[in-house]
């Protein structure tokens, strides 16, 4: 069950729009924050709060890539693989992280600390190569930097 | 030396806070605008020659003038901050470092079109940007620049932040509207255009961040000043984001119409490691690539269109002579394939077919005739899709093949890369 605070937050979000349905996307972020990922139970709760058929919530959750439909590690590492980052060694960045964490792309470490993903452009092309870990951008990456960043994430 | 307009504040300490913005003359244009009539503001923006900085280059004042004047109909402004065109990082700079410049532009636009509510659609990955905007809105409301009864007027305005969740298609304006309405972001058929039937079925203007950020400066310094910068048909300051194989990648604010050569060699410091330029994408990955022979082109809407490319978002992506064009084209195509929303068949199926052929060509497993097959598939998609995503995808690929056909053929016949000799590439 969503916490009372989360439900209140979703209800507050609906006041920003003339129709409740508009709150689906922000509400799914609330669910993701609450459960760590977008659970089926969470989607049903959003549907109930917003007075929608559950399918209308499911279809939004599965269309947009930032909603995790299964659990991810405590730190979700997302390496940009688009053109500007690729030109400056995105593949190399992925290789370094794979080696250091002992996992491949789309995998999670056994201690559930890290999930590694490749993603499309994150709008940080002038400071390529780059990655995003949870909400934070790490830019102009070098191997020693990646080392330090991973060590700092406990 | 061109004096920055849009980026003039970004290096001041705490540039994202309202006190810093006010110290630099912020919100003076809003006060001035609120003393003008909405029609005279629209006329001023028309006279300035400002054209949309999101890529399409539509005249901004004209777009505003399409909104019905009937005060009983609710109207909306949506700021398109879904910056997702690969290579582009200009709006992010404005949002993170000078969010009040955007809010001031939005407030003036809302007053001009009679909108009491506005949404900023920011891509979800820009978490910091979204937070900065929400903080900035709170600051502006508490100081009376937004909210009820704005300075010296009875005009009231609410601005809300709506965060995307990872979908390039939301940069397409009608898909963006669908997304704010809480649906999958599938583009709508036009007409009706958003100016008649937009957000929640009401008249709506959708403008890019950089476009709106120009507005306070036009109000402050006049239409004639703005129109005098750069070429007559595409005037004003423009943000160029340079990335890839250059010595000084970054964001450069220059007059519209600056030659591409000057951007790459003077501002961005030329090609890295003393290599030479092989190809350059002038306006984000949807813009067909150019080569060395095209470098003297001026960066404005008309000149690039005349060359069969486009200014797009002004994102300049530079590739040196050691770059495999086949692989670059594949990376770009995989992006479009991933981001196709699936609504229309030519884009959904066409890009999927193309990506399969591209993967085998790049991987050294291409078949004879694959390059012609790719061109045929591009032709099957072009002009047949619901929105510009499919066109952008195939225009980019066609340009890569037309400029570097021998490299594609080499991959097919020699089963390896012409540039680095690699055979089956693991990706």
């Amino acid at each position: 069950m969503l916490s009372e605070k989360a439900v209140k937050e979703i209800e507050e979000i609906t006041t920003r729009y003339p129709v409740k349905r508009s709150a689906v996307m922000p509400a799914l972020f609330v669910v993701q924050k609450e459960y760590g990922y977008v659970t089926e139970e969470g989607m049903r709760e959003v549907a109930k709060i917003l007075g929608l058929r559950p399918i209308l919530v499911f279809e939004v959750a599965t269309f947009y890539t930032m909603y995790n439909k299964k659990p991810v590690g405590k730190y979700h590492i997302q390496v940009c693989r688009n053109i500007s980052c690729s030109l400056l060694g995105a593949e190399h960045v992925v290789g370094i992280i794979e080696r250091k964490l002992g996992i491949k792309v789309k995998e999670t470490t056994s201690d559930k600390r890290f999930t590694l993903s490749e993603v499309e452009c994150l709008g940080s092309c002038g400071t390529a190569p780059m990655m995003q870990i949870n909400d934070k951008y790490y830019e102009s990456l070098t191997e020693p930097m990646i080392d330090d960043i991973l060590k700092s994430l406990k | 030396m061109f004096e920055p307009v849009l980026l003039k504040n970004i290096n001041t300490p705490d540039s994202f806070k309202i006190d810093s913005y006010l110290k630099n003359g912020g919100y003076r244009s809003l006060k001035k605008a609120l003393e003008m009539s909405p029609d005279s503001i629209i006329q001023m923006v028309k006279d300035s020659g400002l054209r949309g900085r999101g890529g399409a280059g539509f005249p901004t004042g004209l777009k505003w003038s399409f909104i019905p004047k009937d005060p009983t109909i609710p109207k909306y402004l949506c700021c398109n901050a879904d910056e997702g065109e690969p290579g582009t990082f200009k709006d992010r700079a404005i949002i993170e470092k000078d969010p009040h410049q955007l809010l001031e532009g939005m407030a003036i636009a809302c007053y001009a079109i009679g909108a009491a509510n506005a949404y900023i659609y920011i891509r979800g990955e820009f978490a910091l940007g979204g937070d900065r905007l929400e903080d900035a809105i709170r600051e502006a409301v508490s100081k009376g620049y937004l909210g009820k009864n704005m300075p010296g007027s009875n005009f009231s305005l609410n601005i809300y932040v709506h965060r995307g969740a990872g979908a390039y298609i939301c940069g397409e304006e009608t898909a963006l509207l669908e997304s704010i309405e809480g649906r999958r972001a599938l583009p709508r058929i036009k007409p009706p255009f958003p100016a008649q039937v937009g957000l929640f079925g009401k008249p709506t203007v959708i403008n890019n961040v950089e476009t709106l950020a120009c507005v306070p400066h036009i109000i402050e310094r006049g239409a004639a000043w703005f129109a005098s910068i750069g070429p007559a048909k595409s005037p004003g300051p423009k943000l160029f984001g340079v990335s890839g194989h250059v010595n000084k990648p970054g964001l450069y604010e220059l007059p519209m119409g600056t030659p591409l050569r000057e951007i790459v060699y003077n501002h961005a410091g030329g090609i890295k490691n003393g290599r030479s330029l092989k190809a350059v994408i002038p306006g984000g990955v949807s813009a067909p690539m150019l080569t060395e022979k095209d470098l003297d082109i001026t960066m404005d809407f008309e000149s690039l269109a005349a060359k069969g490319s486009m200014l797009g978002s002004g994102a300049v992506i530079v590739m040196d002579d050691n770059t495999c064009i086949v692989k670059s084209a594949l990376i770009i195509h995989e992006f479009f394939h991933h981001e196709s929303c699936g609504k229309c068949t030519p884009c959904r199926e066409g890009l999927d077919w193309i990506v399969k052929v591209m993967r085998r060509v790049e991987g050294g497993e291409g078949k004879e005739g694959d390059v012609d097959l790719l061109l045929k598939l591009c032709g099957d998609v072009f002009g047949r899709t619901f929105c510009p995503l499919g066109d952008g995808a195939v225009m980019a690929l066609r340009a890569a093949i037309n400029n570097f056909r021998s490299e594609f053929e080499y991959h097919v016949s020699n089963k390896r890369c012409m540039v680095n000799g690699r055979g089956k590439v693991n990706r």
Side-chain angles (χ1 to χ4, degrees), chain B residues 329-389:
Chain B
L330 172 62
I331 289 168
I332 291 168
H333 194 77
E334 282 181 328
F335 164 75
F336 286 115
H337 173 248
H338 180 258
E339 299 296 343
S340 173
C341 77
K343 175 166 179 160
C344 69
T345 314
C347 180
R348 183 184 64 240
E349 300 301 322
L351 302 195
D352 192 54
W353 195 347
I354 291 172
V355 89
K356 283 175 183 151
V357 178
M358 277 296 290
R359 279 180 185 148
R360 70 180 187 230
V361 169
E362 194 268 341
E365 294 175 314
K367 297 177 192 161
E368 208 187 311
D370 270 356
V371 182
D372 285 327
L373 174 60
L374 286 170
L375 288 173
K376 183 199 170 290
L377 290 169
C378 287
D380 290 345
V381 174
F382 189 76
R384 294 186 166 89
T385 58
F386 222 82
C387 84
L389 189 149

Side-chain angles (χ1 to χ4, degrees), chain B residues 142-156:
Chain B
S142 73
K143 299 245 182 200
Y145 293 105
L146 291 178
K148 283 204 180 1
N149 301 324
M150 284 150 57
S153 77
N154 54 11
F155 180 67
S156 298

Side-chain angles (χ1 to χ4, degrees), chain B residues 73-76 177 181 194-205:
Chain B
I73 304 173
K75 299 154 191 106
Y76 293 99
L177 300 179
E181 292 184 10
Q196 272 77 47
V197 183
L199 189 63
F200 308 118
K202 305 295 182 216
T204 301
V205 163

